Amino acid sequence: MELKRLNAGNLRAAGYDERTRTLVVELTSGRFEYSGVSAEVWRRLSTSASPWSYFRDNIEEELAGRRLR
């Protein structure tokens, strides 16, 4: 999966696999994977004027992620 550089707040990059509905985010504290993420959530995150705020409010607080590294 290719990650898109975002460099917003603690969010460094993110990538999405539509087939498996998996979102991977790279934060300053490590890399995390979120399962069951809709393509719409990815679209909103990747095009947001404030991706760090969108991530915190709609992904980090709503979905369980697992640490990859």
Side-chain angles (χ1 to χ4, degrees):
M1 168 186 319
E2 188 175 330
L3 299 184
K4 175 181 179 178
R5 290 277 165 214
L6 296 172
N7 290 322
N10 291 335
L11 185 60
R12 298 291 172 239
Y16 182 69
D17 184 329
E18 193 167 356
R19 186 181 56 78
T20 61
R21 296 175 43 118
T22 302
L23 174 70
V24 173
V25 295
E26 186 175 301
L27 305 174
T28 54
S29 60
R31 191 175 279 199
F32 298 84
E33 178 181 84
Y34 295 86
S35 299
V37 177
S38 71
E40 180 64 15
V41 168
W42 165 245
R43 186 191 66 76
R44 289 182 181 187
L45 172 66
S46 64
T47 61
S48 174
S50 181
W52 173 239
S53 293
Y54 184 86
F55 171 75
R56 279 190 335 229
D57 296 342
N58 299 283
I59 299 168
E60 187 176 48
E61 292 182 4
E62 302 294 325
L63 302 170
R66 76 176 178 98
R67 186 179 198 70
L68 298 176
R69 60 178 170 108

